[in-house]
Amino acid sequence: MTLALIDYGAGNLRSVENALLAAGARDVFVTADPETVRAADRIVLPGVGAFGACMGALSALPGMVETLNERVIGRGTPFLGICVGMQLMADTGEEMGVHAGLGWIGGTVRRMPDRADLKIPHMGWNDVTPTTPHALIVPGEAYFLHSFAFDVADPAELLAASDHGGPITAAIGRDTMIGVQFHPEKSQADGLAVLSRFLEWKP
């Protein structure tokens, strides 16, 4: 099984790669080449930074967005988005302006509310509570670091929530795609278990 870990200059690639290897992956290709992505059995899109900048960097790789649409939407290749990589699955993101996302999961990525009793960014360990049954998501804890959250349009595509001054999206998905707001590579045993289940997933 080959796995493409997409390098578009917006993710902590080595940490994610090491976590995937620790979870049992063997042939991990860190790549900016659409042809490598097209040939992969599974695809992981990490992401750190602002929504618009990340979407711009991904779109700047010639043929990459088209290849992702072909493989994930057209061919049903198992896909995992991490942090901003998950947010890019949205219709739009409102960080530093309004930006179009991949449009795979209906909804908008919005800034979490500014309140005196609420620390933004949401940073550190928090519960992950399943909301829709899914093979990859079980109750546990994970490490979060974000100021914007995914407002999911269809409740059936909200797979898990956490709580930070109210419910926030922790995982989304449908068909052969899933996204997690938390960082599995920083979430110790629970995070490695999510990655291991992704590697074994047969959607």
Side-chain angles (χ1 to χ4, degrees):
M1 183 188 72
T2 59
L3 189 149
L5 177 58
I6 298 177
D7 178 6
Y8 61 113
N12 49 343
L13 290 165
R14 294 307 164 194
S15 294
V16 177
E17 180 186 19
N18 289 336
L20 286 165
L21 293 170
R26 291 295 173 262
D27 295 321
V28 178
F29 297 95
V30 179
T31 182
D33 176 23
E35 292 307 315
T36 301
V37 175
R38 184 171 284 114
D41 299 310
R42 293 172 194 265
I43 301 167
V44 176
L45 180 69
V48 174
F51 185 105
C54 289
M55 191 65 206
L58 184 66
S59 300
L61 297 177
M64 184 60 79
V65 170
E66 293 82 359
T67 298
L68 286 171
N69 282 316
E70 172 194 327
R71 294 296 296 165
V72 180
I73 303 301
R75 301 291 297 276
T77 302
F79 172 92
L80 171 64
I82 297 174
C83 195
V84 178
M86 168 263 224
Q87 295 181 357
L88 295 183
M89 298 164 71
D91 292 323
T92 56
E94 296 182 348
E95 188 170 4
M96 299 181 182
V98 178
H99 308 274
L102 292 168
W104 294 351
I105 299 285
T108 301
V109 178
R110 296 187 170 96
R111 183 169 175 82
M112 299 169 69
D114 287 309
R115 292 184 357 209
D117 63 336
L118 197 63
K119 290 185 177 179
I120 303 294
H122 172 216
M123 179 171 64
W125 290 86
N126 209 336
D127 291 336
V128 175
T129 304
T131 56
T132 300
H134 193 278
L136 270 64
I137 303 297
V138 300
E141 286 190 316
Y143 186 87
F144 291 80
L145 177 56
H146 63 116
S147 301
F148 286 72
F150 200 135
D151 183 6
V152 183
D154 183 352
E157 296 177 343
L158 176 65
L159 304 183
S162 190
D163 187 282
H164 190 64
I168 56 171
T169 297
I172 59 170
R174 66 176 175 83
D175 303 330
T176 63
M177 68 183 84
I178 185 169
V180 294
Q181 180 63 68
F182 55 86
H183 287 273
E185 75 281 6
K186 296 182 179 179
S187 298
Q188 300 180 8
D190 281 357
L192 290 181
V194 170
L195 296 178
S196 179
R197 289 192 292 272
F198 174 69
L199 295 173
E200 297 170 358
W201 189 29
K202 294 180 174 62

